[in-house]
Amino acid sequence: GQQVMQIPQYQHVQEGEDFTTYCNSSTTLSNIQWYKQRPGGHPVFLIQLVKSGEVKKQKRLTFQFGEAKKNSSLHITATQTTDVGTYFCAGPSQAGTALIFGKGTTLSVSS
Amino acid sequence: EPEVTQTPSHQVTQMGQEVILRCVPISNHLYFYWYRQILGQKVEFLVSFYNNEISEKSEIFDDQFSVERPDGSNFTLKIRSTKLEDSAMYFCASSEEGVSGDEQFFGPGTRLTVL
């Protein structure tokens, strides 16, 4: 079945350092979404990428969709303690009616 | 700001018992979903629902699971005979459009503990 893989599983950084998480799909995706889950919280939508090679920025966050639409990345510049949480990428299911999530990358930030 | 609500926040049940988890999606949304997350693991898709019927279900969503929209506001997940491995956080989500067009809004979750 469809799989969405994400690395690394965990990442610890010092505040101010950069952070990147990578997402790979076994199949070509029509779109990819990114969610953030704070500890003890629920997933919250960050962004959706649709076009091949698309790059979108939200303040210190940069999202990229690969040319082949099978991989994506999220890069955070100059992390802050508020960035702590687990970042999930998610692609459409086979029937396209739901999201298949990657395992997530849990980011911890020490000040 | 509109939000998805879920009740109860925590449910403890004995193995073999039936549980019903309740969700109130955002009022103008047409697409509804259930996901689960075992502690420390990824969010897993269970079922999607549109126009009063199941659109898609995962391998996890076997005969022990069912969903229902009993009225114009609630969306429920029933587990007929709970197993220990059903212990997880269950998230309801809704969206205005389908997956390819729209973000999903997640509720705060129901933590199900099966003893």
Side-chain angles (χ1 to χ4, degrees), chain A residues 7 13 15 18 30 58 62 69 75 94 100 105 110:
Chain A
I7 56 168
V13 299
E15 190 172 23
D18 292 357
S30 59
Q58 289 178 351
T62 302
K69 300 182 76 172
H75 179 83
Q94 277 193 320
I100 302 301
T105 297
S110 53

Side-chain angles (χ1 to χ4, degrees), chain A residues 21 30 32 40 66 86 88 109 111:
Chain A
T21 172
S30 59
I32 193 160
T86 301
F88 293 98
V109 180
S111 54

Side-chain angles (χ1 to χ4, degrees), chain B residues 24-40:
Chain B
V24 179
I26 294 173
S27 61
N28 64 326
H29 285 185
L30 302 176
Y31 296 81
F32 313 122
Y33 316 85
W34 283 102
Y35 295 87
R36 79 172 187 191
Q37 186 177 34
I38 295 169
L39 187 62

Side-chain angles (χ1 to χ4, degrees), chain B residues 48-106:
Chain B
S48 57
F49 191 88
Y50 170 71
N51 200 26
N52 279 319
E53 60 182 33
I54 291 174
S55 303
E56 186 179 1
K57 55 185 180 180
S58 71
E59 293 173 354
I60 302 168
F61 195 89
D62 61 22
D63 292 345
Q64 294 300 312
F65 291 87
S66 62
V67 289
E68 193 178 29
R69 185 150 165 87
D71 52 45
S73 59
N74 290 282
F75 180 51
T76 62
L77 174 69
K78 182 193 289 186
I79 309 175
R80 193 166 298 120
S81 176
T82 49
K83 304 189 270 269
L84 295 175
E85 53 265 37
D86 292 328
S87 294
M89 182 71 91
Y90 287 80
F91 291 108
C92 172
S94 69
S95 64
E96 197 170 350
E97 299 175 23
V99 163
S100 292
D102 206 10
E103 68 180 275
Q104 293 186 12
F105 291 81
F106 283 74

Side-chain angles (χ1 to χ4, degrees), chain A residues 74-85:
Chain A
L74 157 60
H75 179 83
I76 302 178
T77 304
T79 53
Q80 299 174 358
T81 54
T82 53
D83 295 326
V84 161

